[in-house]
């Protein structure tokens, strides 16, 4: 039984717990194969088991460094809020990608380079915020010490209250923002601190976004854009944090956006507004006229869905059908059944596959060797080994 193949299929089916067990079984047979640790790390990341993922990434890199493993290591470290180490991992992976690109000229590496640069910027943003927080904390502590030295104890409470009250101020050049994305979500960080949620106005529509921040009775429009593609409004979130305003947009169509806004749609919006003022709606574009992410007019999402349905409808035959049966049994099995399948198959040299853990736990398949009719166990010298039928 090919545990690595089964684990990959379970991962694709989003059975991450099952995939981890399958990868673990594959590692028992092939402990020096880096790709298995790397793929198990990916499954751990899906389950948010970041320390386990980090451990597997380090093992994989020690055996054979790859561009994917450095990336997954960086993600694990970022999720553990170790931004400095995360940045280092992303930079190592970026350099590896550049080297491989020069040697092989494989186009997929360009996408990795883009992702590495994006995540390095994320790390820089978090590190900058940490540094600013440390600096601010030190300034407040120094100010507090100085105040305590200059005032008597009766005034300490009012002084401390003044020190600990953080008031937002408009930064020079206006409020800035940055964004990063996955295929499913796009996250925008508006870089202003200590905002009162009452002074933050975020209007998320299916195809547009407007963000207004009010500081000292002065309102600034930070974002007012037609979005690159449509979002699921009910699932979008706004979090006003101490260090920033976080806006999470959930995409209707999972894919990467080439930019936050759609310049063509923004121009169209202005035309619509002008025409509405003249009570003329003839120039309002239909949905089919909106720009698409592909050069052709084919709906590749529907095509991909149709292909997937056709593949699932195909009935496997022969060896493929048997492998599918084993995979289905393993995927739906209890932990004890999986242990039984793993032990019986591995220790019997592939001649036995049992789902009965009570029986398997008591059986030594290496001692009581079994083989199909007409087949014999032999050592590397060709000498026949004792089998159960000989007793």
């Amino acid at each position: 039984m090919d545990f690595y193949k089964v684990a990959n299929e379970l991962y694709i089916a989003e059975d991450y717990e099952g995939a981890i067990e399958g990868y673990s079984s594959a590692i028992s047979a092939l402990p020096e194969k880096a790709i298995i640790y790397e793929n198990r790390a990916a499954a751990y990341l899906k389950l948010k088991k970041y320390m386990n993922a980090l451990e597997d990434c380090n093992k994989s890199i020690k055996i054979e460094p790859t561009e994917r493993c450095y990336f997954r290591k960086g993600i694990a470290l970022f999720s553990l809020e170790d931004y400095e180490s995360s940045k280092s991992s992303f930079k190592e992976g970026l350099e590896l990608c550049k080297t491989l690109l020069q040697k092989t000229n494989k186009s997929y590496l360009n996408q990795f380079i883009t992702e590495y640069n994006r995540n390095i910027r994320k790390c820089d943003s978090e590190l900058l915020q940490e540094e600013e927080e440390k600096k601010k904390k030190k300034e407040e502590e120094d100010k507090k010490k100085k105040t305590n030295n200059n005032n008597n104890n009766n005034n300490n409470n009012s002084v401390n209250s003044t020190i600990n009250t953080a008031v937002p101020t408009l930064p020079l050049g206006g409020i800035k923002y940055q964004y990063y994305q996955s295929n499913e979500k796009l996250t925008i960080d508006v870089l202003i601190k200590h905002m009162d949620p009452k002074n933050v106005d975020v209007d998320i529509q299916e195809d547009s976004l407007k963000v207004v921040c009010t500081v000292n009775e002065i309102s600034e429009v930070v974002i007012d854009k037609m979005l690159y593609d449509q979002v699921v409004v009910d699932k979008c979130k706004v979090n006003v944090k101490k260090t920033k305003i976080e806006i999470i947009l959930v995409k209707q169509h999972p894919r990467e956006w080439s930019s936050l806004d759609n310049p063509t749609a923004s121009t169209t919006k202005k035309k619509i507004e002008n025409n509405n003022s003249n009570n003329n709606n003839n120039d309002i574009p239909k949905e089919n006229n909106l720009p698409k992410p592909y050069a052709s007019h084919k709906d590749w999402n529907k095509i991909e869905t149709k292909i997937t349905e056709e593949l699932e409808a195909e009935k496997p035959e022969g060896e493929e059908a048997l492998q599918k049966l084993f995979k289905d049994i393993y995927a739906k099995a209890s932990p004890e059944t999986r242990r039984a399948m793993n032990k019986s198959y591995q220790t019997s040299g592939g001649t036995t596959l049992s789902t009965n853990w009570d029986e398997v736990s008591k059986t030594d398949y290496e001692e009581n060797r079994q083989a199909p009719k007409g087949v014999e166990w032999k050592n590397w010298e060709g000498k026949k080994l004792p089998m159960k039928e000989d007793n």
Side-chain angles (χ1 to χ4, degrees):
M1 185 176 185
D2 191 338
F3 290 105
Y4 177 64
K5 182 179 178 182
V6 170
N8 285 339
E9 290 172 348
L10 290 171
Y11 181 91
I12 293 170
E14 299 183 3
D15 180 2
Y16 303 120
E17 292 281 3
I20 288 170
E21 287 196 27
Y23 289 132
S24 299
S25 298
I27 287 170
S28 298
L30 300 167
E32 296 301 318
K33 195 164 184 178
I35 187 66
I36 307 178
Y37 292 102
E38 182 180 320
N39 286 2
R40 190 170 69 173
Y44 278 131
L45 285 175
K46 290 291 186 181
L47 297 176
K48 298 183 179 180
K49 296 182 178 181
Y50 302 120
M51 287 301 299
N52 299 89
L54 179 59
E55 184 179 350
D56 272 358
C57 286
N58 286 331
K59 289 178 181 177
S60 179
I61 290 171
K62 186 177 180 180
I63 299 170
E64 182 184 356
T66 67
E67 66 280 2
R68 285 183 176 84
C69 205
Y70 277 117
F71 186 81
R72 286 167 179 162
K73 179 181 178 180
I75 294 295
L77 288 165
F78 189 92
S79 301
L80 293 168
E81 299 184 2
D82 186 351
Y83 304 119
E84 192 69 51
S85 299
S86 176
K87 181 180 177 181
S88 296
S89 183
F90 287 135
K91 289 180 73 173
E92 286 184 89
L94 178 61
E95 291 305 313
L96 179 59
C97 281
K98 290 179 179 178
T99 302
L100 291 173
L101 187 62
Q102 289 177 350
K103 292 181 178 179
T104 64
N105 200 30
K106 292 181 178 178
S107 58
Y108 80 91
L109 291 168
N110 289 314
Q111 180 63 29
F112 266 106
I113 289 172
T114 300
E115 287 297 312
Y116 271 122
N117 284 323
R118 181 174 69 84
N119 280 279
I120 288 171
R121 290 197 299 271
K122 283 175 60 178
C123 292
D124 285 337
S125 175
E126 295 293 343
L127 288 169
L128 179 62
Q129 288 180 23
E130 283 187 349
E131 190 63 33
E132 289 178 351
E133 286 295 318
K134 288 179 183 178
K135 185 177 178 181
K136 182 178 176 61
K137 186 176 180 180
K138 186 176 185 307
E139 289 175 350
E140 288 181 350
E141 288 176 352
D142 292 343
K143 187 176 179 180
K144 183 178 179 180
K145 289 178 182 179
K146 185 176 179 181
T147 304
N148 287 338
N149 291 334
N150 295 332
N151 295 281
N152 58 44
N153 292 332
N154 293 331
N155 294 327
N156 280 346
N157 291 334
S158 61
V159 171
N160 290 338
S161 177
T162 303
I163 292 171
N164 292 328
T165 303
V167 179
T169 56
L170 283 173
L172 293 175
I175 303 171
K176 300 185 183 300
Y177 67 91
Q178 62 183 15
Y179 69 92
Y180 50 92
Q181 63 178 311
S182 64
N183 284 339
E184 293 75 27
K185 297 179 182 179
L186 184 141
T187 302
I188 303 170
D189 290 341
V190 179
L191 306 177
I192 185 168
K193 300 179 179 180
H194 309 297
M195 283 296 295
D196 186 337
K198 296 178 182 178
N199 295 327
V200 178
D201 184 15
V202 179
D203 181 21
I204 303 173
Q205 299 297 326
E206 189 175 56
D207 57 358
S208 65
L209 173 67
K210 186 173 183 178
V211 180
V212 180
C213 295
T214 302
V215 180
N216 298 328
E217 299 183 353
I218 300 174
S219 295
E220 179 176 331
V221 179
V222 183
I223 303 173
D224 187 12
K225 296 180 181 293
M226 296 294 293
L227 296 172
Y228 183 85
D229 199 359
Q230 295 173 329
V231 298
V232 184
V233 178
D234 294 339
K235 294 185 179 180
C236 296
K237 297 180 181 179
V238 179
N239 301 315
V240 180
K241 301 183 177 181
K242 289 183 178 180
T243 56
K244 62 185 177 182
I245 302 166
E246 183 183 72
I247 303 167
I248 302 174
L249 303 179
V250 179
K251 302 174 183 177
Q252 277 195 23
H253 309 108
R255 58 191 173 92
E256 183 171 355
W257 294 3
S258 60
S259 63
L260 175 61
D261 63 322
N262 191 327
T264 307
S266 298
T267 304
T268 304
K269 180 183 177 184
K270 292 179 181 178
K271 288 182 179 179
I272 294 171
E273 291 172 348
N274 292 335
N275 289 333
N276 284 341
S277 64
N278 296 323
N279 296 321
N280 182 1
N281 295 323
N282 292 332
D283 291 335
I284 297 178
K286 295 180 180 179
E287 184 178 354
N288 293 336
N289 293 331
L290 292 175
K292 297 184 178 181
Y294 309 107
S296 71
H297 294 285
K298 294 182 179 179
D299 189 336
W300 290 104
N301 291 324
K302 288 184 179 179
I303 292 172
E304 184 179 358
T305 301
K306 185 178 179 181
I307 291 172
T308 302
E309 290 174 352
E310 289 176 354
L311 289 173
E312 290 177 350
E314 291 182 359
K315 293 184 178 180
E317 298 178 355
E319 179 67 21
E320 185 180 354
L322 186 61
Q323 287 292 336
K324 185 178 186 303
L325 174 63
F326 290 154
K327 184 194 77 172
D328 292 341
I329 294 173
Y330 194 85
K332 298 173 183 178
S334 65
E336 284 191 350
T337 300
R338 288 180 177 179
R339 285 198 297 271
M341 293 175 72
N342 290 339
K343 179 185 175 183
S344 62
Y345 191 85
Q346 289 181 16
T347 59
S348 70
T351 61
T352 303
L353 180 62
S354 173
T355 57
N356 187 344
W357 176 244
D358 289 337
E359 176 187 322
V360 172
S361 62
K362 301 172 184 176
T363 304
D364 186 344
Y365 291 96
E366 294 179 343
E367 182 69 24
N368 300 309
R369 296 183 182 88
Q370 300 179 50
K373 188 175 181 180
V375 179
E376 295 179 340
W377 276 85
K378 294 183 178 180
N379 62 13
W380 64 276
E381 294 176 333
K383 184 180 178 181
K384 181 182 175 182
L385 296 173
M387 296 193 301
K388 188 176 181 180
E389 294 79 9
D390 297 333
N391 298 331

